[in-house]
Amino acid sequence: MDIEGRRAVVTGGAIGTGRAVAIALAAAGAEVVVADIDEVGGRETVDRAGADRCRFVRTDLTDPQQTADLITSTRPRILINNAGGGGHLPPHFPEASAEEWERLLTLNLIGPMRATQHALVTMRSDGGVIVNISSIAGLGLGPHPSPEYSAAKAGVIRFTATLADVAPARVVCLVPDWVATERVTDAELASDPPPIPIAAFTDAVLGLIADDSLAGRVMLLPQVGQPQLLA
């Protein structure tokens, strides 16, 4: 899909990977909608991307109605389900209360599923691309500090792969390792191996959007080596 002239919604676009993707999409000619609960960060993203190409819509992606309103009002041709995180913040399952770990599941799995369901209504007639952002925490069979976070991210991967046949829309997934966002310290940048450069992350997202041969595919973005399709 050509990015230029398309409307793109980026959830979790107020900081980090979401901000970087929003800026990259605007630079590629998209009309970008930044969705986040962080109004200050969201408006800073708009300023950096350019107010002529980007606007902010305050949205809580754990709220079903706000999620529905975001998608139905903007009708994106490109949807980046980037909102998520929280896996590093204690308490974790089983010490966390049911309300705490359910909210993390909602943000990282149910929210993207809701947004995808609404987006497919219009994309199935007009076409479009949905990029789900997972995490390496969702891969493998070993322990993880946050079982609820890793389970949610594993769910995003499997959810994407089941949607290989929703043409003319496409649903794909990016599974990054540690990414060098603005929150990474100098010491962390100097680690071996270093975090993934933010430009490599945005290049991978834009590549998944552009490649019309990819549907229901999952791409791993490792700290070392080249991106690779897992499914």
Side-chain angles (χ1 to χ4, degrees):
M1 169 181 282
D2 290 333
I3 293 173
E4 187 172 2
R6 307 294 191 186
R7 180 173 298 141
V9 167
V10 181
T11 69
I15 198 169
T17 54
R19 171 178 286 173
V21 170
I23 292 171
L25 284 168
E31 175 193 338
V32 181
V33 177
V34 174
D36 207 298
I37 59 172
D38 178 359
E39 294 192 35
V40 174
R43 298 192 188 285
E44 184 176 342
T45 298
V46 171
D47 289 342
R48 294 191 185 189
D52 59 325
R53 305 290 324 169
C54 190
R55 62 188 173 97
F56 173 72
V57 177
R58 188 189 185 284
T59 310
D60 181 352
L61 272 299
T62 66
D63 184 301
Q65 190 59 56
Q66 290 189 38
T67 302
D69 290 345
L70 170 70
I71 302 302
T72 57
S73 66
T74 58
R75 298 175 64 88
R77 298 291 298 279
I78 299 168
L79 170 62
I80 312 297
N81 279 319
N82 175 81
H88 63 294
L89 298 173
H92 305 298
F93 185 97
E95 285 74 25
S97 68
E99 181 180 21
E100 288 170 326
W101 63 258
E102 286 173 4
R103 180 173 175 81
L104 202 72
L105 278 173
T106 298
L107 176 62
N108 287 280
L109 177 59
I110 305 302
M113 291 179 69
R114 288 175 181 150
T116 297
Q117 185 173 30
H118 291 296
L120 286 176
V121 172
T122 56
M123 288 185 180
R124 277 177 166 157
S125 59
D126 303 334
V129 182
I130 299 168
V131 182
N132 293 321
I133 307 300
S134 183
S135 165
I136 198 169
L139 297 177
L141 299 174
H144 189 274
S146 176
E148 61 271 44
Y149 177 77
S150 59
K153 290 304 186 181
V156 169
I157 294 169
R158 187 69 186 102
F159 170 66
T160 300
T162 64
L163 297 176
D165 190 20
V166 289
R170 290 190 296 112
V171 185
V172 291
C173 181
L174 183 63
V175 184
D177 206 323
W178 187 22
V179 181
T181 66
E182 62 266 48
R183 291 174 286 190
V184 171
T185 67
D186 290 341
E188 289 170 334
L189 285 172
S191 62
D192 186 22
I196 299 163
I198 194 69
F201 179 88
T202 56
D203 285 349
V205 172
L206 268 60
L208 287 169
I209 295 169
D211 191 341
D212 289 330
S213 71
L214 301 179
R217 304 301 300 274
V218 177
M219 177 180 284
L220 173 65
L221 186 62
Q223 283 180 254
V224 178
Q226 296 299 310
Q228 53 186 295
L229 289 170
L230 300 180

